[in-house]
Amino acid sequence: MSDDPRLPRAAQIFVSFVALLRANGFSVAPEQTTSFLAAIELLGPRSLEHIRRAGLATLAPPPERRATYDRLFDIHFRGAEAIEHAAGEDEETVRLQEQGRGDDEPPLTEEANESGLAAARAEALVERRFAQTSMSDPLRRLSREAARRLPRRRGHRRRRARSGPFADLRRTLRDSVRNDGEVLRLGRLRRRPRARKMLLLIDVSGSMKARTEENMKLAHALMQSAGNVEVFTFGTRLTRVTGALRLKRREQALSAASFLVSDWDGGTRIGDALQAFLAVPRFGGYARGAAVVIVSDGLERGDPAALRDAVAKLSRRAWRVSWLTPLATSPTFKPQTEALVAIQRFVDDLVDGGSSASVVAHLLSLGRRRAA
């Protein structure tokens, strides 16, 4: 006869909720699970809200992931009721996702943009799979030259130099001891250069469908070549995929990113997505002093004023803002769409983003540029 204690049937639903949290990236220790069950026993509980609060107190989800916790709670404990509530949500709201694709969330529309030629406003939640192909020549060039050609800035730490604005008193005094107190040469210091932060915002809507896979591969190559890079995708949602793209193997990284992003090939709300990015202080800090690169065709179906205001704020925080669009097919390109006309005066570069070669060439040229 086995002496192993069996979990009471009434407690299984609560333990399975903890397993759901772990599956979506929450760190929950066994002791916290025990405390969660004890809190539920202590409270009664009399309502689902009591269970939610017991989970918040004992499982301690991070504040920035509170919305994800609440969504998983509703899906697990409310079931169909939560699904119906999600179906009635306002499509004009851009949702923020950091981790977890949310397989239980229903698609808000059946209208997927299959052609990839026109911008759509509605949201379609789909999963995307990336083909396992070899690295192209532009990506090899980026991996090979990124370390020395990406933009840099002057750091606060100093290093020895033959000439520089600062005197190296320590080295000068040390050398004078060897020369019986004579100062034969004054040592100099200059600031040590550091890699500048880079922020890559990739449009994964239906109108950019033909370029999405190459852009994600390019983002992975950039992430592996430079350490100070943040990558977000946007369409009808804003998703941070930096953690996924840090995986060394490209196939694994793209598979992880595919799991995180749920608005592949859907609608286009660029302004709302950038406003959502700026609304999170931690995300806004990624843009401060950074080289911001937005890869999008600019076919905005929302209010161009929201896009204009968001890009204006980005330009005030960033070192340089580059907008790469497949529509800029020649050096004499002049924007025709209302959105691109609205943001033109706030960006430093409005150039071709229709191929990996052109995107890589622009990224590698940023090291030679200065902020306008």
Side-chain angles (χ1 to χ4, degrees), residues 39-350:
I40 291 173
E41 182 181 6
L42 183 64
L43 289 174
R46 296 184 179 180
S47 68
L48 283 177
E49 186 59 28
H50 289 169
I51 300 175
R52 184 194 302 271
R53 293 182 179 181
L56 288 172
T58 57
L59 304 178
E64 65 271 14
R65 302 202 63 199
R66 171 69 184 274
T68 306
Y69 170 87
D70 290 339
R71 181 71 179 126
L72 293 173
F73 182 93
D74 290 340
I75 289 173
H76 186 75
F77 288 102
R78 298 182 187 275
E81 181 183 348
I83 297 295
E84 292 173 4
H85 179 268
E89 288 180 347
D90 185 4
E91 286 187 353
E92 297 305 306
T93 302
V94 173
R95 297 160 182 80
L96 174 66
Q97 296 179 193
E98 279 206 75
Q99 296 182 21
R101 183 169 54 88
D103 293 282
D104 293 311
E105 295 188 23
L108 301 185
T109 177
E110 298 296 332
E111 299 176 5
N113 192 340
E114 296 295 338
S115 66
L117 297 178
R121 188 187 189 94
E123 179 175 41
L125 306 187
V126 298
E127 181 178 358
R128 185 174 183 129
R129 298 183 181 276
F130 295 99
Q132 296 185 4
T133 57
S134 58
M135 183 176 289
S136 62
D137 290 339
L139 297 189
R140 290 194 190 95
R141 182 190 175 196
L142 178 63
S143 300
R144 185 174 61 251
E145 302 181 17
R148 60 185 177 85
R149 294 191 56 184
L150 287 179
R152 305 177 73 82
R153 66 174 181 85
R154 290 186 302 172
H156 296 289
R157 294 192 176 188
R158 301 170 183 176
R159 67 176 182 180
R160 294 180 182 180
R162 293 185 177 181
S163 62
F166 308 104
D168 188 352
L169 298 181
R170 179 179 298 178
R171 184 172 55 152
T172 301
L173 292 175
R174 188 167 55 245
D175 291 344
S176 69
V177 171
R178 301 192 187 102
N179 297 295
D180 297 327
E182 293 288 339
V183 177
L184 301 180
R185 181 185 177 189
L186 183 63
R188 309 302 298 180
L189 294 171
R190 65 169 57 247
R191 287 185 177 180
R192 186 190 305 271
R194 296 186 59 186
R196 186 174 290 277
K197 291 188 296 184
M198 296 199 67
L199 172 63
L200 188 60
L201 298 163
I202 301 176
D203 187 344
V204 295
S205 63
S207 59
M208 289 289 291
K209 183 176 181 179
R211 287 290 311 153
T212 296
E213 183 167 344
E214 284 301 313
N215 288 337
M216 292 301 295
K217 291 178 180 178
L218 188 146
H220 178 256
L222 180 63
M223 178 72 69
Q224 297 301 312
S225 305
N228 209 1
V229 180
E230 286 289 334
V231 183
F232 289 77
T233 65
F234 64 88
T236 55
R237 301 186 173 203
L238 177 73
T239 308
R240 182 173 180 257
V241 294
T242 304
L245 296 182
R246 284 199 183 108
L247 297 175
K248 191 172 184 63
R249 292 190 59 186
R250 187 177 62 184
E251 291 78 11
Q252 293 177 347
L254 295 182
S255 177
S258 176
F259 179 81
L260 289 177
V261 181
S262 45
D263 56 337
W264 301 109
D265 309 332
T268 307
R269 295 202 295 272
I270 308 173
D272 293 339
L274 295 183
Q275 292 282 5
F277 173 85
L278 293 168
V280 181
R282 179 164 58 93
F283 292 172
Y286 295 148
R288 196 171 302 281
V292 178
V293 178
I294 304 172
V295 184
S296 171
D297 51 16
L299 298 180
E300 173 66 297
R301 293 300 299 271
D303 183 6
L307 176 60
R308 181 195 61 222
D309 294 343
V311 176
K313 291 179 182 177
L314 269 178
S315 67
R316 290 193 290 269
R317 297 187 186 189
W319 169 74
R320 191 176 189 91
V321 178
S322 300
W323 193 292
L324 278 62
T325 171
L327 303 179
T329 55
S330 70
T332 59
F333 168 74
K334 291 184 179 180
Q336 301 295 325
T337 64
E338 188 177 4
L340 290 182
V341 170
I343 60 97
Q344 184 178 14
R345 64 193 178 100
F346 298 112
V347 299
D348 300 287
D349 307 297
L350 186 58

